[in-house]
Amino acid sequence: MQKILIGTNNKGKVKEYKFFLSNYFDVLTPADIGVNFDVAETGTTYEENSLLKLEFLRRKDLNMAILCDDSGLEIESLSGEPGIFSARYAGEDCSDQDNINKVLRNLKGKKDRKAKFVCVISFFWEKFSSFPRLFRGECHGSIIDNQSGNSGFGYDPIFFYENLAKTFANLSEDEKNKVSHRAIAMKELFSNLNF
Ligand code: ITT
């Protein structure tokens, strides 16, 4: 089977990419191949940060497909915060729960709860294209005060997805991976790969 390296240290992302890709690729993480994946996310967009991660791994000449993901939550009444800073919204070594608490604190008293998740995948595979490709997915929902559910990761317990009337953390793996920002970006990638 062809190998694909998923450039991330986020276990939640790894689980989702294994779901999407395991039928087609042997899915590896930097830890699996002894690579210390430590990239300064100095870009100002998801696209830039996703490519910074990809270029870090491309420089290692690994001779396999590489996929990186930069993603985040954008809340309308917080002017798009936390956005590209989603992972460390509440500080450098913060937990998912710290980030959720900060969002809910900042939203106190605000009526407009509209939000969206954004995912930008960068992908490089010599067999597919001689240059990196980008694929973006967005998923709309709203932020609820009473967090609910244990599935997924990150902000999933407070992201309410109206179409299924559940938070992302109350969706099954199958359900989230059909509708999420990541699923939409993956569909774009798959249709370009002719999978
Ligand atoms: P890598 O850079 O190693 O991939 P990271 O977690 O730092 O890991 P990002 O910089 O892309 O990745 O930050 C994405 C953050 O956005 C992530 O840590 C979550 O807090 C949030 N996020 C992204 N996708 C999410 C999802 O599907 N569900 C919940 N939260 C999500």
Side-chain angles (χ1 to χ4, degrees), residues 7-10 13 16 37 41 53 69-73 84 86-88 96 99 117 153-156 168 176 181-182:
T8 183
N9 292 315
N10 183 316
K13 288 185 187 176
E16 294 184 9
F37 185 64
E41 296 185 29
K53 297 178 199 185
D69 166 315
D70 201 66
S71 43
L73 175 70
I84 60 167
S86 291
R88 284 158 286 277
D96 286 345
N99 284 333
F117 272 127
F153 66 97
Y155 299 91
D156 282 347
F168 261 15
K176 181 179 173 189
H181 47 316
R182 195 159 289 110

Side-chain angles (χ1 to χ4, degrees), residues 99-116:
N99 284 333
I100 286 174
N101 293 345
K102 181 165 179 188
V103 163
L104 295 182
R105 258 196 327 272
N106 288 348
L107 276 178
K108 254 211 173 94
K110 295 201 192 284
K111 280 223 174 73
D112 176 4
R113 293 298 178 119
K114 286 194 281 302
K116 68 178 178 184

Side-chain angles (χ1 to χ4, degrees), residues 32-121:
D32 292 333
I33 57 167
V35 168
N36 179 23
F37 185 64
D38 186 15
V39 182
E41 296 185 29
T42 52
T44 56
T45 61
Y46 301 101
E47 281 77 6
E48 280 182 65
N49 283 335
S50 192
L51 283 170
L52 282 171
K53 297 178 199 185
L54 189 80
E55 292 308 323
F56 175 89
L57 292 171
R58 272 187 76 189
R59 283 196 291 276
K60 306 218 172 274
D61 278 333
L62 295 163
N63 195 27
M64 59 182 87
I66 306 172
L67 184 156
C68 294
D69 166 315
D70 201 66
S71 43
L73 175 70
E74 297 188 0
I75 301 170
E76 216 167 270
S77 62
L78 299 181
S79 312
E81 275 188 25
I84 60 167
F85 304 108
S86 291
R88 284 158 286 277
Y89 192 41
E92 261 317 304
D93 289 313
C94 63
S95 65
D96 286 345
Q97 189 60 51
D98 295 332
N99 284 333
I100 286 174
N101 293 345
K102 181 165 179 188
V103 163
L104 295 182
R105 258 196 327 272
N106 288 348
L107 276 178
K108 254 211 173 94
K110 295 201 192 284
K111 280 223 174 73
D112 176 4
R113 293 298 178 119
K114 286 194 281 302
K116 68 178 178 184
F117 272 127
V118 180
C119 170
V120 175
I121 289 174

